[in-house]
Amino acid sequence: MSFPTFAHWPPPTGLTTILVPRNSTTFTVSAITTINAPASLVFNTIRNTTAYPDWNTFTPAAVITASTNSSPVANASSTGLLSLGDDFTYTVVLDPAHPRNTTPSFEHVNDISTPEHPTTYVPCALLESDGSFWGNLSQVYRAAWGDVNPATRGQLVTERFSEVVDFGNETSGYRTWENQGGPEVRGYGEGFEEGE
């Protein structure tokens, strides 16, 4: 099995997620970088909702609203670490010029996967055939969540993936993407893309 190299991402065909496949995507946002820190530390920082105000200007607050603690990687919502099956709300800054104007986003954690506890949320066939995902499960920490706002159900479908790839020597690759689909995305995606 061959895995996509970190530098050749995103794939030319576009990115996909489980809830919003590329053929249903209206808008995608993505980022990629290398971080000089161990992958497990980077991944736990992403999962730690209590630390969001310290580093995440786009999402200055996040609160776990319901926790199932069903994940073997679960450290319970009392610690603020996102776990498989959790529901959480975060506030999103859509316009950096007005950081006090925030919008709530209601999310459900669909996947928490680590090299020690890989999951099957992303099917093996997709890992092997699609360059969106890092296919080597012994190297990747992955989290995914999707929108569960009942007010937008059927009008807006979103799913975000964050992957932290362990390159060894306390170096990690980080890549994240969100696909959005549905009729409500058209206006939002266009405004977001233009920076409005």
Side-chain angles (χ1 to χ4, degrees):
M1 176 181 355
S2 64
F3 303 110
T5 61
F6 196 73
H8 296 104
W9 186 89
T13 55
L15 293 163
T16 196
T17 73
I18 304 305
L19 295 180
V20 191
R22 72 174 48 87
N23 63 352
S24 299
T25 298
T26 305
F27 179 72
T28 298
V29 62
S30 64
I32 183 171
T33 193
T34 302
I35 300 172
N36 293 323
S40 60
L41 175 64
V42 174
F43 189 63
N44 280 336
T45 300
I46 293 165
R47 290 178 58 210
N48 186 355
T49 58
T50 62
Y52 274 39
D54 299 335
W55 65 273
N56 194 336
T57 56
F58 176 70
T59 308
V63 177
I64 297 171
T65 56
S67 183
T68 62
N69 291 324
S70 62
S71 170
V73 213
N75 286 318
S77 63
S78 62
T79 63
L81 291 178
L82 292 172
S83 297
L84 182 63
D86 283 356
D87 290 333
F88 69 104
T89 301
Y90 59 64
T91 57
V92 180
V93 176
L94 296 177
D95 183 354
H98 299 95
R100 292 182 186 202
N101 294 344
T102 59
T103 301
S105 184
F106 307 97
E107 307 292 328
H108 178 80
V109 179
N110 300 322
D111 192 21
I112 296 287
S113 183
T114 68
E116 298 80 20
H117 300 282
T119 66
T120 56
Y121 181 66
V122 180
C124 286
L126 195 57
L127 288 174
E128 293 173 1
S129 66
D130 193 291
S132 295
F133 306 95
W134 191 265
N136 186 341
L137 295 179
S138 69
Q139 280 185 296
V140 70
Y141 295 78
R142 179 181 295 121
W145 54 76
D147 181 65
V148 291
N149 184 351
T152 59
R153 189 153 293 138
Q155 297 298 307
L156 174 67
V157 182
T158 69
E159 187 168 42
R160 172 170 293 276
F161 272 82
S162 292
E163 292 185 329
V164 182
V165 181
D166 186 354
F167 292 146
N169 299 322
E170 298 196 358
T171 303
S172 305
Y174 173 67
R175 57 194 197 175
T176 184
W177 69 102
E178 181 173 304
N179 280 7
Q180 301 176 356
E184 191 170 293
V185 169
R186 297 195 190 285
Y188 168 74
E190 292 164 7
F192 188 80
E193 205 166 17
E194 295 165 7
E196 294 177 357

